[in-house]
Amino acid sequence: MLFTDAVTAISIILLILPLVDLVPEAASAHEGASEVFTGHLDQIWSFLLSFAVIANIWREHHRTFSSVHRSRKSPAP
């Protein structure tokens, strides 16, 4: 499950990057947090919805494969 954990982490990082880019823009425009939040509400809601979908898929994947155990091959005689 390490691969799916990594894919999930990368997906969430890719989601947050556009929001991180808002910080320097807001700082240079001397905007407060509430102005940034209200000015980019559509991006924030899109992030939250996408995050919830990815988190749900990841949680269901872990639930589905939680009973799968690694099989160990016995060495050939």
Side-chain angles (χ1 to χ4, degrees), residues 8 11-12 15 45-57:
T8 303
S11 301
I12 291 171
L15 283 175
W45 283 118
S46 297
F47 165 77
L48 292 173
L49 177 63
S50 300
F51 183 89
V53 168
I54 290 171
N56 188 41
I57 291 170

Side-chain angles (χ1 to χ4, degrees), residues 6-47:
V7 169
T8 303
I10 291 169
S11 301
I12 291 171
I13 289 170
L14 291 176
L15 283 175
I16 197 74
L17 286 178
L19 296 179
V20 171
D21 290 340
L22 296 177
V23 174
E25 293 174 16
S28 66
H30 303 291
E31 295 178 336
S34 61
E35 294 166 330
V36 173
F37 186 78
T38 56
H40 299 281
L41 200 55
D42 55 342
Q43 282 182 291
I44 293 169
W45 283 118
S46 297
F47 165 77

Side-chain angles (χ1 to χ4, degrees), residues 59-70:
R59 186 179 59 239
E60 288 301 314
H61 174 78
H62 272 269
R63 186 185 62 76
T64 302
F65 288 96
S66 64
S67 62
V68 176
H69 299 284
R70 176 181 274 180

